[in-house]
């Protein structure tokens, strides 16, 4: 990868340790992806915010970095481990809370917007079509490339951090127009079409595809199903975008047999002790739809509903918080199902969710069983 | 020999070889370096102080911090050799100063588990 004189100087440490570190990351991923140069990006969305995932090493690193580092471009951040407004209810230990506070502080000190959301594409105004961004959260990177007409690679927590510090990213993979053309088509042939099926389709596609995949046979994709598809795809592989058409090259069917196979991999229980909604977090439209479906019904089990803080005011003004509380739902902001410390296998055997991504991480990280079913069935079977 | 240098450095050690991609976030214990993914052929083994030879990294973008945590906890591999360097592995190795190279398929497949090798990611050689 060719660097300009100025970039070389930064890599060599002539402009301080922080920029040298950031350029070292950019140089490595530039080599790894065969980039020719660095290009400007306008927005970085960072993962690596939850103390549960980055641990003491990450907390110490960020605390040290934030002593003099400042983000150069618009920077937003992923959910953290819990909602500070509700933390006392969960019996988390003091150390977790202190370390999470430190991580939150470090990101904000460097200039991050305190979004703590995995759906930046739904809560922020989007830049103009074709803009280069740097998104580490996989569902957000896929959504940005496929739906929002933005360009990003499926960044890592640290490559997006390097973009935030420098305003740059290597010019490679999905940042180049010719690499965005899919070389594989998945034909949607499943009988039932709900958000869980779309999540499983994404999970299946992620396992099969390279950087970009075409999906044919979809007439309409609502926001909930689309988010589910993006999140499923981001969980299982390295694919960073999809198009809704029939592309050139190899074609594979996603039929009922494959739906069952994917579901069997993730659904390990016929029931559960609690319900979680969110991963990705729910936007205002989904909250409004949930309220309409409940119509006087109440959850039979504790139901955790994960949302971005950005919509808390609207949820309150529209009276949705009151209605969801009445129904036994608990609104939690700034955090999400994935890698949450709020669900512990000491207290919970199995979790009911409609999230394919959530199901994967609940099993592998929280070590609990999962009853995966769509929102219709959750409302039908788990409320009265 | 066709070796592409991703992160510079030099290390001598024992090969830990796998044909399966590695999911650093879910699959490796960041404190001990033990592989904890039950479906992985390295399950139960430790990547600590080994030369990890694997095709590529998969899974969460936060895996880059797992590599850094391994280094912080003195449980990281001495070097890594892969077939396709992904962004998560490359960025994790870059801030942890873990030498990382990409080997061509033939070269990669000639490496054997438990073999003693030197990864020279300055000259671009595996000896």
């Amino acid at each position: 990868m060719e660097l300009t004189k100025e970039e070389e100087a930064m890599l060599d440490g002539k402009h301080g340790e922080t920029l040298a570190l950031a350029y070292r990351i950019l140089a490595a991923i530039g080599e790894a992806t065969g980039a020719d140069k660095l290009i400007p990006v306008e927005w970085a969305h960072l993962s690596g915010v939850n103390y549960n995932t980055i641990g003491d090493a990450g907390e110490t690193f960020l605390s040290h970095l934030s002593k003099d580092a400042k983000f150069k471009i618009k920077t937003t951040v992923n959910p953290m481990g819990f909602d500070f407004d509700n933390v006392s209810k969960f019996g988390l230990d003091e150390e977790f809370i202190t370390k999470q506070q430190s991580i939150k502080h470090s990101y904000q000190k460097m200039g991050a917007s305190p979004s703590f959301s995995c759906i930046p594409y739904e809560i922020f105004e989007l830049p103009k079509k074709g803009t280069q961004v740097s998104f580490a959260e996989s569902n957000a990177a896929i959504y940005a490339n496929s739906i929002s007409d933005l360009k990003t690679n499926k960044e890592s927590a640290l490559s997006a951090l390097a973009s935030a510090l420098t305003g740059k990213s290597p010019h490679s993979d999905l940042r180049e127009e010719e690499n965005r053309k899919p070389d594989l088509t998945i034909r949607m042939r499943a009988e039932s079409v709900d958000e869980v099926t779309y999540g499983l389709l994404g999970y299946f596609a992620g396992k099969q595809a390279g950087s970009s995949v075409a999906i044919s046979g979809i007439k309409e994709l609502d926001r909930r199903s689309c988010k589910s598809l993006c999140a499923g795809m981001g969980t299982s592989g390295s694919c960073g975008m999809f198009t809704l058409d029939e592309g050139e090259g190899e074609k594979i069917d996603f039929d009922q047999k494959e739906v069952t196979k994917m579901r069997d991999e993730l659904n390990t229980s016929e029931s559960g002790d609690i319900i979680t909604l969110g991963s990705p977090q729910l936007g205002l439209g989904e909250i409004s739809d949930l309220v309409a479906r409940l119509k006087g019904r109440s959850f039979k089990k504790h139901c955790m509903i994960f949302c971005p803080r950005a919509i808390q005011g609207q949820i309150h003004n529209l009276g949705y918080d009151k209605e969801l509380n009445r129904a036994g739902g608990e609104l939690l902001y700034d955090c999400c199902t994935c890698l949450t410390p709020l669900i512990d296998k000491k207290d919970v055997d199995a979790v009911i969710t409609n999230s394919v991504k959530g199901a994967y991480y609940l099993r592998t990280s929280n070590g609990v069983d999962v009853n995966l079913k769509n929102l219709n069935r959750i409302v039908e079977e788990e409320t009265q | 020999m066709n070796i592409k240098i991703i992160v510079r450095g030099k290390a001598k050690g024992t090969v830990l070889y796998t044909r399966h991609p590695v999911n650093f976030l879910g699959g490796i214990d960041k404190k001990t370096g033990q592989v904890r993914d039950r479906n992985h052929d390295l399950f139960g083994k430790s990547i600590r102080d080994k030369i990890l030879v694997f095709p590529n990294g998969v899974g969460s973008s936060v895996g880059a911090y797992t590599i850094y945590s391994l280094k912080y906890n003195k449980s990281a591999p001495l070097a890594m050799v892969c077939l396709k360097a992904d962004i998560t592995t490359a960025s994790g190795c870059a801030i942890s100063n873990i030498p990382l190279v990409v080997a061509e398929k033939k070269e990669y497949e000639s490496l054997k588990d438990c073999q003693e090798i030197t990864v020279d990611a300055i000259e671009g050689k595996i000896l």
Side-chain angles (χ1 to χ4, degrees):
Chain A
M1 185 169 67
E2 292 273 336
L3 295 180
T4 64
K5 273 209 175 111
E6 202 194 347
E7 290 164 351
E8 284 282 0
M10 297 207 217
L11 178 65
D12 292 342
K14 290 180 185 133
H15 297 267
E17 212 182 300
T18 300
L19 283 171
L21 177 81
Y23 275 91
R24 216 158 68 225
I25 295 170
L26 295 178
I29 58 172
E31 286 306 319
T33 57
D36 54 346
K37 60 180 175 186
L38 293 172
I39 55 165
V41 294
E42 288 188 15
W43 177 5
H45 180 79
L46 311 184
S47 62
V49 184
N50 187 343
Y51 173 63
N52 218 16
T53 60
I54 66 169
D56 291 337
E59 187 268 330
T60 310
F61 168 76
L62 290 168
S63 164
H64 179 74
L65 188 70
S66 68
K67 282 190 185 132
D68 62 7
K70 284 277 171 283
F71 294 145
K72 248 195 175 142
I73 50 172
K74 172 178 171 175
T75 301
T76 53
V77 287
N78 242 10
M80 49 187 171
F82 54 85
D83 180 345
F84 272 95
D85 290 351
N86 269 314
V87 65
S88 59
K89 284 193 281 182
F90 289 96
L92 289 171
D93 63 44
E94 268 314 306
E95 194 194 352
F96 194 108
I97 296 167
T98 313
K99 295 282 171 71
Q100 184 65 74
Q101 181 73 49
S102 156
I103 294 166
K104 178 176 186 274
H105 178 74
S106 295
Y107 279 120
Q108 286 185 248
K109 192 166 172 233
M110 288 188 277
S113 149
S115 54
F116 304 110
S117 172
C118 47
I119 54 166
Y121 48 80
E122 203 173 336
I123 58 171
F124 287 100
E125 201 178 315
L126 299 177
K128 68 173 196 297
K129 282 184 182 184
T131 300
Q132 297 275 358
V133 299
S134 205
F135 281 12
E137 163 56 37
S138 60
N139 101 78
I142 296 169
Y143 197 101
N145 277 322
S146 315
I147 308 293
S148 312
D149 286 316
L150 303 176
K151 286 182 180 167
T152 179
N153 279 328
K154 202 181 164 207
E155 301 295 342
S156 82
L158 293 171
S159 71
L161 180 71
S163 288
L165 291 167
T166 60
K168 290 180 184 179
S169 180
H171 185 238
S172 57
D173 285 354
L174 294 173
R175 299 192 181 283
E176 292 186 82
E177 202 50 50
E178 63 265 31
N179 298 332
R180 294 170 70 85
K181 217 169 127 189
D183 53 4
L184 170 77
T185 300
I186 311 261
R187 290 187 288 215
M188 175 64 163
R189 296 273 160 89
E191 290 150 21
S192 61
V193 274
D194 55 34
E195 77 277 14
V196 172
T197 314
Y198 281 117
L200 295 170
L201 167 66
Y203 190 72
F204 173 79
K207 289 182 183 219
Q208 311 285 338
S211 297
S212 175
V213 65
I215 300 174
S216 68
I218 296 179
K219 284 199 201 88
E220 234 187 305
L221 201 55
D222 64 20
R223 183 57 83 67
R224 178 183 291 121
S225 295
C226 187
K227 286 164 74 175
S228 180
L229 172 61
C230 293
M233 188 178 282
T235 303
S236 62
S238 51
C239 182
M241 82 173 272
F242 65 87
T243 58
L244 289 178
D245 51 15
E246 181 133 343
E248 287 163 19
E250 197 191 339
K251 292 174 177 55
I252 327 178
D253 286 352
F254 180 69
D255 53 20
Q256 210 51 41
K257 206 176 80 199
E258 294 295 345
V259 175
T260 310
K261 213 163 118 189
M262 295 300 116
R263 188 190 301 271
D264 288 349
E265 212 178 285
L266 298 165
N267 178 60
T268 55
S269 176
E270 288 315 302
S271 181
D273 316 316
I274 60 166
I275 305 160
T276 76
L277 300 176
S279 186
Q281 289 172 331
L282 275 62
L284 194 64
E286 288 163 273
I287 292 292
S288 152
D289 172 65
L290 179 63
V291 167
R293 283 167 194 249
L294 285 169
K295 276 188 289 207
R297 299 174 72 90
S298 295
F299 290 106
K300 295 185 216 167
K301 294 160 184 166
H302 182 197
C303 178
M304 298 162 102
I305 305 161
F306 294 98
C307 298
R309 180 77 65 192
I311 64 168
Q312 186 180 22
Q314 286 161 292
I315 286 179
H316 180 70
N317 291 342
L318 292 161
Y320 294 157
D321 50 353
K322 223 170 135 190
E323 174 58 12
L324 290 171
N325 284 336
R326 179 211 55 77
E330 179 180 34
L331 283 158
L332 292 161
Y333 299 97
D334 295 334
C335 50
C336 201
T337 300
C338 288
L339 303 147
T340 176
L342 307 179
I343 296 170
D344 194 315
K345 64 181 173 195
K346 285 202 293 267
D347 318 313
V348 173
D349 291 325
V351 175
I352 300 162
T353 187
N354 62 344
S355 165
V356 164
K357 178 176 182 175
Y360 176 86
Y361 284 107
L362 283 165
R363 286 257 289 135
T364 55
S365 291
N366 300 68
V368 296
D369 280 312
V370 174
N371 180 207
L372 182 63
K373 59 190 175 197
N374 66 30
L375 189 61
N376 276 345
R377 274 186 62 198
I378 292 177
V379 171
E380 211 169 276
E381 295 169 18
E382 309 295 345
T383 65
Q384 57 196 9
Chain B
M1 210 177 292
N2 283 306
I3 302 295
K4 190 174 166 190
I5 301 164
I6 307 299
V7 177
R8 289 163 69 86
K10 196 170 171 180
K12 189 179 170 195
T14 312
V15 168
L16 184 67
Y17 186 95
T18 175
R19 284 175 195 284
H20 294 169
V22 173
N23 181 340
F24 285 97
L25 179 66
I28 312 274
D29 186 314
K30 62 177 179 267
K31 292 215 168 101
T32 63
Q34 277 226 339
V35 178
R36 62 177 190 195
D37 177 354
R38 289 183 174 278
N39 298 320
H40 204 281
D41 62 350
L42 295 182
F43 175 65
K45 293 187 180 166
S46 173
I47 63 171
R48 180 182 178 174
D49 292 341
K50 294 284 186 336
I51 309 275
L52 182 64
V53 180
F54 66 115
N56 59 285
V58 288
S60 170
S61 61
V62 188
Y65 274 105
T66 309
I67 295 174
Y68 180 71
S69 296
L70 286 165
K71 186 75 179 188
Y72 180 91
N73 294 317
K74 300 186 170 51
S75 296
L78 298 170
M80 300 192 201
V81 178
C82 52
L83 262 179
K84 181 185 175 287
D86 57 281
I87 291 177
T88 296
T89 306
S91 58
C93 287
I95 68 154
S96 314
N97 289 315
I98 299 171
L100 170 67
V101 298
V102 175
E104 288 226 326
K105 200 164 188 275
K106 208 173 125 195
E107 186 73 31
Y108 178 88
E109 283 175 352
S110 73
L111 295 170
K112 302 264 176 304
D113 199 35
C114 299
Q115 191 184 356
E116 289 288 321
I117 60 167
T118 299
V119 175
D120 184 344
I122 294 166
E123 298 287 323
K125 288 184 210 157
I126 295 178
L127 301 166

